[in-house]
Amino acid sequence: MAEKMTYVEASREALREAMQADETVWCLGEDLGRGSVFGQYLGLQEAFGPDRVVDTPISEAAIMGAALGAAMVGTRPVVEMRFSDFALCATDELVNQIAKARFMFGGQSRAAMVIRKPTGMWRSSAAQHSQSLESWYTHIPGLVVVCPSTPQDNYSLMKAAIAADDPVVYFEHKNIWGMEGEVDRSLAVEIGKAAIRRVGEDVTIVSWSDTANLAEQAGARLAEEGISAEVIDLRSLWPWDKAAVRASVAKTGRLIVAHESVRVGGFGGEVAATIAEAVPGARIRRLGAPRSLIAYAPNLEDQMRVTVDMIAQAAREMTND
Amino acid sequence: MAEKMTYVEASREALREAMQADETVWCLGEDLGRGSVFGQYLGLQEAFGPDRVVDTPISEAAIMGAALGAAMVGTRPVVEMRFSDFALCATDELVNQIAKARFMFGGQSRAAMVIRKPTGMWRSSAAQHSQSLESWYTHIPGLVVVCPSTPQDNYSLMKAAIAADDPVVYFEHKNIWGMEGEVDRSLAVEIGKAAIRRVGEDVTIVSWSDTANLAEQAGARLAEEGISAEVIDLRSLWPWDKAAVRASVAKTGRLIVAHESVRVGGFGGEVAATIAEAVPGARIRRLGAPRSLIAYAPNLEDQMRVTVDMIAQAAREMTND
Amino acid sequence: MSEPGDDGDNRARSIALLRMMERIRAFEEQAILAAERDRLVLGAIHPSIGQEACAAGIMQALRRDDILLATHRGHGHTLAKGADPLAMFRELLGRAGGCCGGKGGSMHIADFNVGMLGANGVVGANITIGAGAAHGLKLMGSDRIAVDIFGDGAVNRGPFLEGLNWAAVYALPVLFVCEDNQWSATTRTRTVTAGEGAGARAAAMGLPVTTVDGNNVEEVAAAADEMVARIRAGNGPEFLHAITYRQTGHTSFDKAAYRPEGEAERHKMEDDPIARQRAFLAGMGVRSAELETIHAEAQAEMAALLKEAAATPFPPDDTAFTDVQDIGSPAKEAF
Amino acid sequence: MSEPGDDGDNRARSIALLRMMERIRAFEEQAILAAERDRLVLGAIHPSIGQEACAAGIMQALRRDDILLATHRGHGHTLAKGADPLAMFRELLGRAGGCCGGKGGSMHIADFNVGMLGANGVVGANITIGAGAAHGLKLMGSDRIAVDIFGDGAVNRGPFLEGLNWAAVYALPVLFVCEDNQWSATTRTRTVTAGEGAGARAAAMGLPVTTVDGNNVEEVAAAADEMVARIRAGNGPEFLHAITYRQTGHTSFDKAAYRPEGEAERHKMEDDPIARQRAFLAGMGVRSAELETIHAEAQAEMAALLKEAAATPFPPDDTAFTDVQDIGSPAKEAF
Ligand SMILES: Cc1ncc(C[n+]2csc(CCOP(=O)(O)OP(=O)(O)O)c2C)c(N)n1
Ligand SMILES: Cc1ncc(C[n+]2csc(CCOP(=O)(O)OP(=O)(O)O)c2C)c(N)n1
Ligand SMILES: [Mg+2]
Ligand SMILES: [Mg+2]
């Protein structure tokens, strides 16, 4: 049933299947005919033609705005933003227009679309090509926010995102395009349901995107040391699986939230605050990037990283006292 | 010493004085020659001429981008965005360019400027003219974030913002332009220092912008009921006065954070999470807008509001058990 | 479109154009009264008084299933596209039964039933959205077209360039209309617009440009007919530059004291599109009694509808949480 | 600028142009080696091989205190503006002493000492920033000017319109340069650009436009001299459209298999700006030994500098927290 696939292949396969099944699904972005920067679209223009896999000008605002217009008349666009940083060139279109189109017009229309934003640090790409801004979009009513961390999830969640009648902001992590894993095409994942990557008793570690992979490694390392960590990959930030996290922290009494994005104002604060309100007495710790910029030099870039070591160390400290 | 001034007059006076004292200070935005939408610039073009109070085209991206270029060669621009919502048309310029200009180029330049963003709900302005997005900018290294709530603070903080060598995102609340108060021109306020609006023992209420005024009213009402609330107006969100909040919650054991912006992903989460980490055992509660959009009809708009009643009620509940 | 020489048809059409302009004017006069006198409209409204010829002239060239996107100054376009004025008044008053359920108000007026996909509160934002609507129509093999209306101030925003280039690159069925009332809020647009302005910029992106006297409804209608026919036939996007004038302030609250004395008065006296069409019809032999009837009917219609709207209740409170999103809807959110 | 008839000066200048192009080429060839062979450059680099005439021809027209803003493909412009190639190599390698302290890398190369205010990783973003730099200069009453270089792909982004309009409205001292290498990453720019392209769009915003063969360094230099003189004299912004060709892939990793076979080869053979300038100089009587020396010196200079850069340590770890901001600096943040 399951096939070996990389992370980049997984969402490409999901997109291909969706385009085969529904001819109103199409994609638009720069250089798509050559696969885009990371090969996410390789072969799709050959398969579906240049009208459904559209090479666009360097016009992020128009890519995003046009997708809304096209969604309003009944097509289902998949928007490629290339680097999540460039999506900032289309913020009015996403936040003031797409997120509000259904509500503002009293439910007369929907903006069913997927907005793909490759995210995160990727060796020495420096300040304008490395950001993780997923927390912004959780703050915008109307938007769904998805952050897959494995090939299987990138397959299943892409399918769910394309099928959704809402605008879905879809963050793929640039560092794991080549990550291999088993993908079962029949496996559906509901947006809003976390994956429990490891069951444990002593401490709950919540994360998403590539950091969830680091959290899982930290969990394994801690197990060797006799610390039993429950590792939760949220997979989506809006909606997010509060019930799973709450149940886990109710059991462990300790919460670590770890993410690659800047700690200040990051979604870790939302998770931590929610649990602080809901599970009085829980011990809470957040890990995220310092509030500085991502530099080019590798050693400086590394200063911004949340690592397996840091997660494990936080768990040791919390379970020690 | 002190004069009566409205909130809008206070920052206008601060700007006027700064322009008198330093000829590199100038301002740019749409319709400034006629005072802009809310009269924030009334009389300034007459006083300083059209080269220093610049009427611009409707080009938010260019207003913001040009301000950066002009800052890099040594002028000190004050940027008017009219409604904070429209600033989203210049997000690349603010977040990828201005916030990063100093760091990315290794400290060779600074981007000393003030970016004014009138914010918040103002009767029936609907979804595209009512947002409070201050929490976004706390997440962006390089930016300072200021949210004054009184005429005095709007005077003193505007002066501090113009004097700063950093880019300062400056949120004035549209609902209180006409608010009157005593302004002492000799009073300096340091960005990052909270105002303790009311001293109390039972519960700490943290807020900013116009909601701080509601929190103060709630504090007064609670006092009549025998509940002693400490009311803290953060005044700036980055940096924010963690020490003051921590000391207060260490005393009261209870924290309420209240803000007009959407609760999910809002800066209340940052405050709550920080205190949850730093003051174990503190009881925590956040108030913010539901994750829905701001509608035009007044009764629907009201559903999004955090009110004096809600703040007081939360304090009652927390101090009751 | 009418056959040449078909005088009865021409006359009927010219009368219909006048009637639509009178209805738009009456609608907005009532809306202003509702705002100023009755304090029933709480948000800002942006009247298009003096600009009715654009709405009437262009919309008559469209089919009901064609798509329209407009600006904050969109009452006229919406009404002319066929929206129900009662639902529009209810929307301006934030009432139940408003065309957006009271959620949008004047600045976001829309009626998807007649293809009106929304006014927009962000200057220029509708340009790329309209291009995209046309893109969607073309992808689906439809013969519907899109019309995208914006002001002279919008030509200085990036989406103007991105949206026009987009439409031209993909040869999309969209008519762009710059409704040039010469003012951007309190700023005279030409003082902040370099070069020859809207038309020159569109031409530089390869769009055929037609410039019309935007206060001559017959001229607007004739140009729109031709352009729409070409666009529907698959010849790609075109650009209509209609020169008009904003007779009121920017909003109904704005006294527009910044305008040179007499400028607005001169336009009202000499260049009002309704007065001009009345004169044109009088020249065609239409009797003034008939013209008066058209005027009076429009006034009566709109006054009655405003009253009816004002008697409508506000929307149910819980609609503040509906139609946000399906997944993670605030109506369902728990914890 | 040289006097007509002053042959010695002309010759010296033509040789200087060649020398600068040879140095840029040598710099980038070494940079590519450092990336591919040595794995010393971890981020992407965007070579400007084949486009050196623009950098050399334009920068020679500027003063050291004039301002320059460039794109991701900015090594050549930066070097020609007078930046120190050792500091540039160090930056590409992310080392201490890099011109941005190792924080920017290739895509953000900058040297404020010579007025080079930065390459930019966002296509088109430098257009409004450059207009603003010129705005600042004008406000301060300076006679310095700004030069703003971008690619053909940038003309489809909104900031192109907003920045050019801005500069024209305020008559700012800025030279906009579209360095048109005909490709936008893997897309042929003309397939996504409607109308006549860059020049026509600039002209529509009222800017005087000059189009040059961007691979003829003498022609570029002569045009730049004239334009810069007019701009410095206060005549407002101008637009230079320089047609050139990107001989490499988009980045040093890109094999550019999407290009029609032979296209790049033809350009390398027939239209290389360095080869053309060598031929021009040979025609002027410069001996081939002298030309070879210029080439060899450039090669030797850059090879030695790369070695030196590679021997430099990485920046101190704690510089990751400096130069972020004064107020609320991460270096000071406590709790
Ligand atoms: C991006 C953006 N900037 C500023 C505004 C504020 N604003 C609303 S209408 C307007 C003037 C628009 O002028 P024009 O495009 O000519 O349309 P008109 O109002 O004349 O119909 C301005 C500046 C806005 N709504 N959106
Ligand atoms: C806003 C934005 N969109 C997309 C990109 C990705 N990108 C980097 S360079 C490039 C091509 C630019 O083409 P052009 O402007 O002609 O410059 P060239 O690379 O040819 O020098 C693209 C699409 C980007 N950096 N910024
Ligand atoms: Mg106008
Ligand atoms: Mg190019």
Side-chain angles (χ1 to χ4, degrees), chain C residues 1 60-61 210 220-232 238:
Chain C
M1 276 163 289
Q60 62 77 38
T210 303
V220 175
D225 281 342
E226 288 180 22
M227 298 174 93
V228 165
R230 284 193 298 263
I231 293 167
R232 202 181 304 283
E238 301 207 15

Side-chain angles (χ1 to χ4, degrees), chain A residues 55 97 108 110 166 242, chain C residues 112 120 170 325-327 333:
Chain A
D55 282 319
Q97 311 298 335
Q108 295 183 79
R110 294 181 174 231
D166 297 317
K242 289 184 255 193
Chain C
F112 282 57
N120 206 306
Y170 303 109
Q325 56 196 108
D326 293 338
I327 302 177
E333 206 212 324

Side-chain angles (χ1 to χ4, degrees), chain A residues 26 51 54-57 59 61-62 65-66 69-70 73 97 102-110 142-143 166 238 242 246 278, chain C residues 99-100 103-104 108 110-112 120 122 125 128-129 132-133 139-140 162 166 170 320 322-323 325-328 333-335:
Chain A
W26 60 297
D51 291 344
V54 178
D55 282 319
T56 69
S59 303
V73 299
Q97 311 298 335
R102 180 172 168 190
F103 180 90
M104 199 161 63
F105 302 130
Q108 295 183 79
S109 74
R110 294 181 174 231
L143 299 179
D166 297 317
W238 193 263
K242 289 184 255 193
R246 182 192 195 163
Chain C
C99 44
C100 301
K103 291 177 172 181
H108 307 298
D111 185 347
F112 282 57
N120 206 306
V122 179
T128 59
I129 302 171
L139 267 176
M140 297 189 301
E162 296 196 13
W166 188 281
Y170 303 109
T322 57
D323 284 321
Q325 56 196 108
D326 293 338
I327 302 177
E333 206 212 324
F335 212 52

Side-chain angles (χ1 to χ4, degrees), chain C residues 51 73 151-153 179-185 189 246:
Chain C
Q51 308 180 201
R73 206 175 297 288
D152 39 304
E179 189 169 323
D180 183 350
N181 63 12
Q182 306 176 46
W183 287 89
S184 300
T189 308
R246 190 192 79 200

Side-chain angles (χ1 to χ4, degrees), chain B residues 30 58 60 82 86 89 129, chain C residues 72-73 121-123 151-154 157 181 183-185 250:
Chain B
E30 298 147 18
I58 307 175
E60 281 73 13
R82 201 173 177 116
F86 306 157
C89 300
H129 287 71
Chain C
H72 54 286
R73 206 175 297 288
V122 179
V123 168
D152 39 304
R157 282 209 61 225
N181 63 12
W183 287 89
S184 300
H250 175 57

Side-chain angles (χ1 to χ4, degrees), chain D residues 150-156 178-184 189-190 193:
Chain D
F150 43 85
D152 40 303
V155 309
N156 292 324
C178 178
E179 189 170 324
D180 183 349
N181 63 14
Q182 306 176 48
W183 287 88
S184 300
T189 308
R190 81 168 116 75
T193 307

Side-chain angles (χ1 to χ4, degrees), chain B residues 24 26 28 62-79 110-113, chain D residues 69 117 128-140 166 172:
Chain B
T24 67
W26 60 297
L28 62 167
I63 296 170
M64 195 77 90
L68 174 57
M72 280 175 149
V73 299
T75 71
R76 304 180 78 87
V78 175
V79 169
R110 293 180 176 233
M113 63 173 79
Chain D
L69 287 108
L117 306 194
T128 61
I129 302 171
H135 206 143
L137 295 174
K138 184 169 180 177
L139 268 176
M140 297 191 300
W166 189 280
L172 302 177

